[in-house]
């Protein structure tokens, strides 16, 4: 049955001249059939240059919005319209405007995990892969950083600027507790602990390496260590294990599970391709402003 659905998806992707993009946290089988997998930065870059009529975005709402902002002539499908990001919902454009009024002249750096409206009201976007460079690109001494307080604080460790962070966070990464990491480290003393900067500062302090999801693939591939404790969403394990059959990857906590990232199934993808719905389309006035913030980010090379 699963194999039949898979073949139907592949056939329809060809017929529609569609490309399937999937985030590194998607279900294993979705990552397996994707044309391109990646972190938020790689997927935005791909969405901007991909040669297809249709983008099927297997991720969450803000990612499909970014694809629509960068590729307005393409039809962007988000197979599960209910796949949102709680962190992106933690700031509205009205709240951002009030926050900006408190720090006049401070440029606004907005994590891509945000709505198109919030991006449109920002100077530049960033992802976890380039946030340090993006903040460093400003000459101003004060920066507004939204919506992730954890990523903002992490960037602050590498900058002498004053960073005013919005109080948003990722509920999935915040569930990882210090005791869990300490226990894991005790159980596996030879292992390296790597985590995503969406984790709390206390967790970041315990890490041997902090990076985006794709940064974890690069690090684990090239590092001679044999065992890694992983502090990010469970979906990352699929490719880590596939690429490194001789290494062991241990999820730091069973709570590292993002329900939104796990919604999209083969059936949802097939239905989206059959019905060409749900379409994500950002209104043109917002799109043009949000695109400036995304383009400025894309122009800054990856770390
Ligand atoms: P990256 O893949 O950019 O590291 O992002 C993590 C994330 O939480 C996306 O929602
Ligand atoms: Fe949002 Fe966190 Fe899920 Fe990423 S892992 S989509 S930041 S809730």
């Amino acid at each position: 049955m699963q194999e039949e659905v898979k073949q139907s998806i592949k056939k329809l992707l060809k017929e529609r001249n569609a490309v399937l993009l999937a985030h590194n946290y998607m279900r294993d089988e979705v990552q397996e059939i994707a044309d391109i997998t990646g972190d938020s930065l790689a997927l935005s870059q791909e969405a901007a240059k991909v040669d297809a009529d249709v983008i099927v975005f297997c991720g969450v709402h803000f990612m499909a919005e970014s694809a629509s902002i960068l590729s307005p002539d393409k039809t962007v499908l988000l197979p599960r319209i209910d796949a949102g990001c709680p962190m992106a919902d933690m700031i509205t454009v009205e709240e951002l405007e009030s926050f900006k009024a408190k720090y006049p002249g401070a440029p606004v750096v907005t994590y891509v995990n945000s709505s198109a409206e919030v991006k449109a009201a920002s100077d530049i976007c960033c992802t976890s892969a380039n946030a340090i460079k993006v903040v460093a690109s400003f000459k101003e001494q004060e920066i507004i950083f939204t919506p992730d307080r954890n990523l903002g604080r992490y960037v602050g460790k590498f900058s002498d600027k004053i960073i005013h962070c919005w109080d948003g966070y990722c509920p999935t990464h915040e569930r990882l507790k210090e005791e869990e990491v300490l226990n894991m480290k005790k159980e596996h003393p030879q292992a390296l602990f790597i985590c995503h900067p969406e984790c709390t500062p206390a967790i970041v302090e315990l890490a041997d390496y902090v990076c985006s999801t794709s940064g974890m693939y690069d690090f684990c591939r090239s590092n001679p260590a044999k065992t890694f404790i992983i502090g990010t969403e469970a979906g990352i394990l699929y490719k880590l294990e596939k690429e490194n059959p001789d290494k062991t990857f241990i999820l730091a906590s069973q709570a590292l599970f993002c329900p939104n990232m796990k919604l999209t199934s083969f059936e949802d993808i097939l239905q989206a391709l059959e019905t060409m719905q749900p379409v994500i389309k950002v209104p043109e006035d917002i799109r043009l402003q949000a695109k400036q913030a995304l383009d400025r980010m894309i122009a800054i090379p990856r770390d």
Side-chain angles (χ1 to χ4, degrees), residues 167-186:
D167 203 22
Y169 60 90
C170 163
T172 299
H173 286 85
E174 284 239 348
R175 280 197 289 275
L176 178 58
K177 300 291 171 229
E178 266 176 283
E179 313 82 77
E180 291 176 290
V181 176
L182 290 170
N183 286 339
M184 283 287 182
K185 281 178 156 234
K186 212 182 273 171

Side-chain angles (χ1 to χ4, degrees), residues 26 48 51 63 95 100 113 115 149 162 211 253 283 291:
M26 287 281 108
D51 181 23
M63 296 180 173
E95 287 170 324
K100 277 160 77 168
N113 298 37
S115 68
R149 63 184 182 203
I162 300 167
C211 58
S253 164
K291 187 172 182 299

Side-chain angles (χ1 to χ4, degrees), residues 23-25 38-41 60 62-63 85 87 111-113 127-129 170 173 196 198 211-214 232 261:
H23 186 264
N24 294 330
Y25 294 158
D39 63 3
S40 307
L41 180 57
V60 291
F62 75 81
M63 296 180 173
C85 169
M87 186 207 295
Y111 191 27
V112 288
N113 298 37
T127 75
S128 55
C170 163
H173 286 85
H196 196 277
E198 285 178 16
C211 58
S212 78
T213 53
S214 292
T232 196
M261 284 287 190

Side-chain angles (χ1 to χ4, degrees), residues 27-170:
R27 295 183 190 190
D28 295 359
E29 65 272 21
V30 173
Q31 293 192 46
E32 201 241 324
I33 60 158
D35 295 299
I36 298 158
T37 55
D39 63 3
S40 307
L41 180 57
L43 293 175
S44 334
Q45 286 164 334
E46 287 298 335
K49 65 171 194 228
V50 84
D51 181 23
D53 296 323
V54 179
I55 295 174
V56 183
F57 213 115
C58 296
V60 291
H61 193 268
F62 75 81
M63 296 180 173
E65 268 192 345
S66 293
S68 162
I69 292 165
L70 293 163
S71 290
D73 301 334
K74 297 184 179 100
T75 303
V76 179
L77 300 173
L78 178 67
R80 286 293 294 248
I81 196 68
D82 51 344
C85 169
M87 186 207 295
D89 296 338
M90 286 179 192
I91 187 164
T92 63
V93 70
E94 292 77 19
E95 287 170 324
L96 175 56
E97 291 303 344
S98 314
F99 201 52
K100 277 160 77 168
K102 283 170 74 175
Y103 309 105
V108 179
V109 177
T110 289
Y111 191 27
V112 288
N113 298 37
S114 53
S115 68
E117 289 82 358
V118 167
K119 287 183 177 77
S122 305
D123 293 286
I124 191 166
C125 289
C126 74
T127 75
S128 55
N130 59 17
I132 296 169
K133 276 195 176 175
V134 167
V135 167
S137 72
F138 287 94
K139 62 174 185 341
E140 286 83 351
Q141 264 307 108
E142 288 192 40
I143 302 282
I144 292 171
F145 194 95
T146 72
D148 188 3
R149 63 184 182 203
N150 291 328
L151 181 59
R153 286 175 194 156
Y154 173 68
V155 171
K157 286 163 67 94
F158 302 88
S159 173
D160 57 1
K161 296 181 194 297
I162 300 167
I163 302 179
H164 304 288
C165 296
W166 185 256
D167 203 22
Y169 60 90
C170 163

